Amino acid sequence: MFLSIVIPSHNKAIFLKKAIRSILKDDEFGRNINLIISDNSLNNDIQNLYLKEYKNNKYIKYFSSKKYNCLDSNVNRSIELATGKYAWVFGDDDILVTGILKKIIKFLKTKEPNLLICNSKAFSEKGIIESKRMPKNKDLLYRKDDNDKFLIDMGGYLTYVGAIIVNKKLWIENYKKSKIGSFFAHIDCIGAIKNNREVYFFGEPSIKMRLGSQT
C-alpha cells in the first residue's frame, strides 16, 4: 500500500464506525490505501466492532494497544503499524470528505512530500460549523528555509493531529518518546521533520472534524 490511514482509537466505537464508513465508501480505498486501527480503549467495544464488521476485510487491520495508554503513545504506535510509505493520522471521531482520496494520492505521488498538512472542516450533529478551518484555500509549499513561516502559519492548527500525513520513515527517525505525555509530542516531531526540509499544505478541506468529542 502507498498510504495507510491510521486511527489511534479510544472508547469511541460509535463514532469510529462512522469514520470507517466514510473511508470505505471512497473508490480509492483498497487500491492504494489501507486502514490500521490501534485501539487503546478501556473496554472491548472497538475490538468487538472490528470482529463483527471488518474482520474479513483484508485492507483493515486491528491491533490491541492497551499498553499505549495515552494519546501521544497511541499516535506513535499507529504510525509504527502503518504498512504504507505514508501514514495519515485520522481521528476516530472524524469523517473523510467524499471523493478526496484520489486527489490526496495524486498529490502525494506527484509531489512526494516529506509532510503534508491537510485543511479540514468542522462539524457537529447540527451540520457544518466551519467550511474550512484554515483560511488558506490553495496548496502551499514551505521551502527548506521557511521554518518560521511554517510555524507562524501552522503552529496552532497542528494541535489537530488528524491533519497530518507524514512519510513514515521520517516520523520514525524524528519522533522523541521523551515527549510522550505532553499531548503534543506529534508537534515536536513535525517541527523536527520540517527543519531544513520542504513540506506542503493541502488547501482543499479533506477531513470533517467533529466538535465536542476531543480528548
Side-chain angles (χ1 to χ4, degrees):
M1 287 293 156
F2 184 70
L3 171 65
S4 292
I5 298 177
V6 300
I7 304 182
S9 193
H10 182 78
N11 292 350
K12 293 195 184 96
I14 293 175
F15 289 156
L16 176 62
K17 186 173 181 178
K18 294 179 180 179
I20 294 174
R21 185 186 302 141
S22 74
I23 295 167
L24 291 184
K25 72 180 184 181
D26 194 295
D27 292 340
E28 201 68 23
F29 183 79
R31 297 179 183 175
N32 293 288
I33 299 164
N34 66 351
L35 178 61
I36 307 290
I37 302 166
S38 179
D39 175 22
N40 72 348
S41 299
L42 302 177
N43 54 50
N44 295 321
D45 291 352
I46 289 173
Q47 183 180 36
N48 291 337
L49 173 66
Y50 169 77
L51 293 174
K52 180 181 178 181
E53 301 282 348
Y54 311 116
K55 181 181 179 181
N56 295 323
N57 190 322
K58 65 180 180 179
Y59 300 112
I60 302 177
K61 300 298 181 185
Y62 169 90
F63 295 88
S64 177
S65 303
K66 293 187 186 299
K67 70 177 183 178
Y68 301 88
N69 57 4
C70 77
L71 175 64
D72 291 326
S73 59
N74 201 24
V75 166
N76 185 53
R77 161 78 164 164
S78 68
I79 294 177
E80 289 179 337
L81 292 169
T83 57
K85 177 180 178 179
Y86 289 97
W88 184 352
V89 186
F90 202 89
D92 61 358
D93 53 354
D94 294 339
I95 301 293
L96 187 73
V97 170
T98 302
I100 201 66
L101 288 182
K102 186 174 183 179
K103 297 177 183 180
I104 292 286
I105 289 295
K106 181 179 179 180
F107 191 96
L108 292 174
K109 288 188 173 182
T110 301
K111 303 295 186 182
E112 297 186 337
N114 299 301
L115 175 72
L116 181 61
I117 307 301
C118 295
N119 207 346
S120 58
K121 304 180 182 184
F123 80 103
S124 70
E125 296 303 329
K126 295 180 180 180
I128 297 295
I129 305 299
E130 291 176 289
S131 59
K132 55 186 179 190
R133 296 181 61 227
M134 288 291 285
K136 303 174 186 305
N137 57 8
K138 63 179 180 179
D139 301 338
L140 298 173
L141 166 64
Y142 292 91
R143 302 187 184 279
K144 291 182 179 181
D145 59 352
D146 284 341
N147 297 328
D148 288 346
K149 180 173 174 50
F150 176 75
L151 185 61
I152 290 168
D153 287 353
M154 299 291 162
Y157 183 62
L158 291 176
T159 60
Y160 175 49
V161 69
I164 299 166
I165 300 178
V166 64
N167 180 297
K168 177 185 174 178
K169 181 174 181 291
L170 284 177
W171 177 278
I172 298 298
E173 290 173 353
N174 288 279
Y175 191 83
K176 296 185 183 69
K177 293 187 177 180
S178 63
K179 302 296 184 183
I180 288 175
S182 67
F183 281 87
F184 298 116
H186 65 280
I187 295 181
D188 176 81
C189 187
I190 289 169
I193 291 171
K194 169 63 194 85
N195 192 24
N196 296 317
R197 292 187 180 91
E198 292 185 345
V199 303
Y200 284 86
F201 171 74
F202 190 77
E204 183 176 351
S206 306
I207 324 112
K208 291 190 283 186
M209 185 195 78
R210 185 185 300 271
L211 295 177
S213 64
Q214 295 91 333
T215 299

